[in-house]
């Protein structure tokens, strides 16, 4: 277990004078707090004796029905028995890895990959291998050679971990044809896919309406799929879920029960009451519009202020853009200078287990206002220019 780069940064980035483009905190301020408070108060009056009691280890069946509805736009269809409710999708990740991975087992991940998942994989002593990306997704040839070289060494990979939609930290999204290729390769070699999809409903423009990326799980029930209310409602409720193939279901529920007995019954009831009494689709649209405005502010500030030789991804949804510095600059070295200039980011090396990422940084636009984002980019551009 090692502290993550993001964790170490939180204390510094929390100083009000620092524009933090570091943490990926959802902008929960956009919720109607009075309405949510009233809903929760009513729920306690009506159902408090149950909501404040222990519940089912698999999660409340009514909530699992709602989760089916929430997943419909990304094409995931399943029975409520296939769903396990967890304390955020992070807990589902931990339980799945606990069940599937022994020390030295090979796990294939994207380049870069979500730091919280890398932390889980390494804590169970997995042999984590990055696969090259192309066009914002796992590169098919690189994926095949990573699988074949692991198999040749007698270590068939346990799974491929992917955030195919609005990736953290890359801000990239796999095309439908690339999703099909990745699934075909996984099936051909008998390797599971672990698909993590907390941002799937947070696409901008068409990507949130007519072109919502369809989950890989929509094409195969063998895919393990993770979802979360952290970004569509609020991260503080700590409610996520896993949709699991039949062979894993019973063991996963047992593992969940041994970890926490049951997911928080209280916040499950809060989420159920919210979904029942609020127009949650409208709230997701509010979040989408807000994040799109902030994405636009960040991209246009970078276009105006960044020196030549810097490139970045333009995300079609989610929270992050991934910036690449010119050869020879190191984002770890840049960070203290940036913080001196009152702006924070996450160095790219945190999103790799093998020392890559020195010339990258993750910028998040989810939390600061558009004005603050612009100010933050101006400050960051000054630091990069001086460094060049
Ligand atoms: C890709 C990815 N997976 C999982 C999580 C964890 O989400 P949750 O709050 O549901 O545990 C995050 C949170 O930032 C994430 O970006």
């Amino acid at each position: 277990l090692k502290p993550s780069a993001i964790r170490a940064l939180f204390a510094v980035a929390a100083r009000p004078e620092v524009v933090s483009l570091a943490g990926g905190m959802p902008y929960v301020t956009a919720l109607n707090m009075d309405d949510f408070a009233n809903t929760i108060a009513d729920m306690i009056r009506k159902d408090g004796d149950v909501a404040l009691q222990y519940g089912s280890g698999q999660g409340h069946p009514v909530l699992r029905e709602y989760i089916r509805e929430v997943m419909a736009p990304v094409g995931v269809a399943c029975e409520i028995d296939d769903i396990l409710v967890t304390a955020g999708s992070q807990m589902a990740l931990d339980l799945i890895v606990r069940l599937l991975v022994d020390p030295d087992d090979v796990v294939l991940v994207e380049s870069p990959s979500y730091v919280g998942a890398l932390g889980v994989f390494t804590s169970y002593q997995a042999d984590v291998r990055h696969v090259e990306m192309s066009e914002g997704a796992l590169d098919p040839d690189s994926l095949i050679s990573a699988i074949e070289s692991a198999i040749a060494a007698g270590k068939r990979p346990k799974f491929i971990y992917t955030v195919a939609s609005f990736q953290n930290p890359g801000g990239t999204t796999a095309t439908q044809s690339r999703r099909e290729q990745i699934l075909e390769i996984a099936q051909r070699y008998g390797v599971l896919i672990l698909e993590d999809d907390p941002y799937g409903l947070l696409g901008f423009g068409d990507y949130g309406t007519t072109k919502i990326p369809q989950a890989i799980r929509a094409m195969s029930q063998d895919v393990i799929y993770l979802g979360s209310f952290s970004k569509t409602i609020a991260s503080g409720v700590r409610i996520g879920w896993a949709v699991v193939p039949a062979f894993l279901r019973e063991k996963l529920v047992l593992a969940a029960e041994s970890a926490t007995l049951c997911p928080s019954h209280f916040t499950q009831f809060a989420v159920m009451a919210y979904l029942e009494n609020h127009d949650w689709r409208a709230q997701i649209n509010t979040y989408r519009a807000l994040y799109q405005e902030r994405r636009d502010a960040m991209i246009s500030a970078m276009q105006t202020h960044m020196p030549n030789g810097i490139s970045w991804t333009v995300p079609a949804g989610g929270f992050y853009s991934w910036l690449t510095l010119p050869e020879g600059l190191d984002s770890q070295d840049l960070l203290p200078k940036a913080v001196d200039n009152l702006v924070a980011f996450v160095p790219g090396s945190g999103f790799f287990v093998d020392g890559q990422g020195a010339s990258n940084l993750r910028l998040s636009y989810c939390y600061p206002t558009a004005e603050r984002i612009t100010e933050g980019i101006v400050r960051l551009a000054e630091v990069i220019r001086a460094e060049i």
Side-chain angles (χ1 to χ4, degrees), residues 38-55 60 264-270 272-273:
N38 291 335
T39 300
I40 291 175
D42 289 347
M43 178 276 286
I44 295 173
R45 282 188 205 99
K46 190 165 138 268
D47 293 320
D49 55 338
V50 187
L52 297 169
Q53 190 51 270
Y54 291 112
H60 198 288
S264 162
H265 219 207
F266 177 66
T267 59
Q268 287 184 82
F269 269 74
M272 286 189 284

Side-chain angles (χ1 to χ4, degrees), residues 24 86-91 93 114 116-117 161 163 166-169 196-199 226-231 234-235 238-241 319-320 362:
T86 50
S89 54
Q90 188 70 25
M91 180 183 163
L93 258 175
Y114 166 53
Y161 170 73
V163 184
F166 319 130
Q167 202 232 25
N168 177 5
D196 190 4
D197 192 26
Y199 304 100
L226 306 183
S228 176
F229 286 118
S230 285
K231 277 76 185 182
S235 45
R238 305 308 300 128
I239 299 288
W241 64 89
F319 287 4
Y320 309 103
R362 189 191 75 176

Side-chain angles (χ1 to χ4, degrees), residues 145-205:
S145 64
I147 295 173
E148 286 186 347
S149 72
I151 290 176
K155 292 166 70 169
R156 182 182 302 276
K158 276 291 163 80
F159 55 75
I160 302 159
Y161 170 73
T162 177
V163 184
S165 303
F166 319 130
Q167 202 232 25
N168 177 5
T172 50
T173 297
T175 60
Q176 178 60 26
S177 69
R178 191 57 72 83
R179 287 166 201 248
E180 288 163 17
Q181 278 177 296
I182 292 166
L183 177 63
E184 188 279 317
I185 293 167
Q187 289 177 332
R188 191 182 343 148
Y189 289 95
V191 178
L192 280 169
I193 291 180
L194 175 53
E195 178 177 31
D196 190 4
D197 192 26
Y199 304 100
L201 294 181
L202 292 181
F204 305 145

